[in-house]
Amino acid sequence: MSRRPATVAASLLAVLTLGAASACSSNSGSTTASSGSGGTPTVKLMVGGIDKQIYLPYQLAQNLGFYKKYGVDVQLSTEQDGGVGAEEAMASGQVDMAGAWYNHTIEFQAKGKAVEDIVQLSGAPGEREMCTKKSGVTSGTDFRGKTLGVTDLGSGTDTLTQFLAAKKGVRTSQFHRIGVGAGSTAIAALQNGKVDCVMTTQPTVAAIEKKGVGASAIDLATTAGATAAMGGAYPAASVLARTDWVNSHKDTVQKVVDALVATMHWINTHSAADIANKLPASFVSNQLVTKADYVTALTGDKGQFLPDGIMPAGGPKTSLATEQLVGNVKGSVDLGKTFTNEFALRANKTEGFTTTTTPAGPTG
């Protein structure tokens, strides 16, 4: 089951058009074989919706030429609606890495699987609870009696929706949750009165606002917004890999992290318009939004991205608390095994970047 925000239908086509995506192979043993005479390692990385703003760093790194610059051939692909989730494809060995939310590492550990976050790209989910005017929803307290749309049941948006309710003392039995996807299907659910609210991300948020069918009731799109609503930074977009794979491919992992840390620094030092200009045209201008809409939305939500790829102090604890409150994790979790700052710290030091994120320690 998909456990991240869904991508819009055109995402895979867009990536294939750019020549950036590759079909996922079940032969995981050959995914890091050297390619070409130079012996450049190849890494297969599946993203949970590559055309979404919350996941833009993966493709941006490709378009900026950073993977090539740091000596690794990263073959990007994107999760398709109804298909295997990026994190599940990684865990089963179909791909080497997943562009997905950090919280999956906690869930995997609870199931006895060792998966770790090797570089943290955002300190917030990048989501907004978009509600109709007549819903009267301004916080989780107002979820009682409402029908709330999530990407799909069991997804990250589902977990967050339950958490916002539980934090206000509202039980899941007191409201209804249904899967509405993202993009046009999420918008239609609001327009047709199928849901009172939907948790979604850009560019769907901008499209909902432009059509006048809903407005942001709860902001989880920036680090500041997530901290206010959830009690702390909530690390979301990241790169996940199996711990055994990381331990046996450390040089390759470092190259990928080097490229993405350089990308995060580039994002931090450039405008939303600069970023949009480096992304595929179909990502920033499509049936949902114009390029101007995209840039406006990114300008407002750019604060979700961390400037140095470092897991922030307190972030893992916030994520664990979320999982525990909604009942996804009931046993003990060793947070120190769910992430590492080793590669990001080395990347920043190598490049001479000044870090501003306070790194999380072994206990999160």
Side-chain angles (χ1 to χ4, degrees), residues 135-336:
S135 71
V137 173
T138 59
S139 75
T141 302
D142 306 313
F143 285 0
R144 290 185 180 88
K146 300 298 190 299
T147 297
L148 306 175
V150 298
T151 305
D152 54 75
L153 298 181
S155 67
T157 55
D158 189 18
T159 297
L160 288 176
T161 297
Q162 294 178 67
F163 175 78
L164 292 174
K167 198 167 177 64
K168 297 295 184 179
V170 179
R171 301 186 302 276
T172 54
S173 61
Q174 294 179 296
F175 60 96
H176 186 50
R177 309 174 341 267
I178 61 173
V180 298
S184 58
T185 55
I187 295 169
L190 280 173
Q191 284 179 314
N192 301 334
K194 188 175 181 180
V195 296
D196 297 290
C197 305
V198 61
M199 183 173 287
T200 191
T201 184
Q202 298 290 4
T204 307
V205 166
I208 289 172
E209 292 175 332
K210 192 169 185 178
K211 290 177 179 292
V213 297
S216 176
I218 303 174
D219 170 23
L220 301 178
T222 62
T223 303
T227 299
M230 307 182 71
Y234 184 89
S238 64
V239 175
L240 311 182
R242 300 180 308 281
T243 298
D244 61 344
W245 193 92
V246 172
N247 289 339
S248 60
H249 297 84
K250 287 201 169 188
D251 288 344
T252 299
V253 170
Q254 188 64 61
K255 294 176 188 293
V256 173
V257 175
D258 286 347
L260 285 167
V261 165
T263 301
M264 302 317 293
H265 179 75
W266 194 94
I267 289 172
N268 189 52
T269 54
H270 287 75
S271 70
D274 291 336
I275 295 168
N277 287 336
K278 290 295 184 179
L279 291 172
S282 60
F283 285 21
V284 303
S285 180
N286 49 53
Q287 71 272 23
L288 292 180
V289 291
T290 65
K291 188 172 182 179
D293 293 331
Y294 187 96
V295 171
T296 297
L298 181 56
T299 299
D301 292 356
K302 190 166 168 274
Q304 70 189 271
F305 296 114
L306 298 170
D308 41 32
I310 294 172
M311 173 64 77
K317 290 182 179 179
T318 301
S319 188
L320 175 59
T322 303
E323 296 292 322
Q324 291 174 328
L325 190 58
V326 303
N328 287 346
V329 173
K330 297 179 180 179
S332 60
V333 172
D334 184 347
L335 288 176

Side-chain angles (χ1 to χ4, degrees), residues 102 117 120 233 235 306 308-318 335-342 344-345 356-364:
Y102 160 71
D117 177 337
Q120 189 59 44
L306 298 170
D308 41 32
I310 294 172
M311 173 64 77
K317 290 182 179 179
T318 301
L335 288 176
K337 294 181 178 179
T338 63
F339 71 94
T340 177
N341 277 321
E342 171 191 349
L345 288 171
T356 56
T357 302
T358 301
T363 61

Side-chain angles (χ1 to χ4, degrees), residues 57-98:
Y58 312 102
Q59 185 65 54
L60 182 61
Q62 190 80 278
N63 288 15
L64 290 173
F66 285 169
Y67 296 129
K68 183 178 181 180
K69 175 181 177 180
Y70 291 97
V72 61
D73 176 17
V74 174
Q75 299 180 356
L76 296 172
S77 60
T78 190
E79 177 178 326
Q80 298 185 71
D81 291 347
V84 63
E87 68 284 349
E88 295 295 344
M90 172 274 302
S92 64
Q94 295 178 54
V95 295
D96 304 307
M97 297 178 175

Side-chain angles (χ1 to χ4, degrees), residues 94-141:
Q94 295 178 54
V95 295
D96 304 307
M97 297 178 175
W101 285 9
Y102 160 71
N103 68 302
H104 296 304
T105 67
I106 295 174
E107 295 172 355
F108 277 127
Q109 187 180 128
K111 297 174 183 177
K113 297 181 180 180
V115 170
E116 62 188 84
D117 177 337
I118 60 171
V119 59
Q120 189 59 44
L121 309 183
S122 69
E127 306 282 342
R128 292 182 187 274
E129 191 72 44
M130 303 298 293
C131 303
T132 62
K133 291 181 179 179
K134 66 178 182 180
S135 71
V137 173
T138 59
S139 75
T141 302

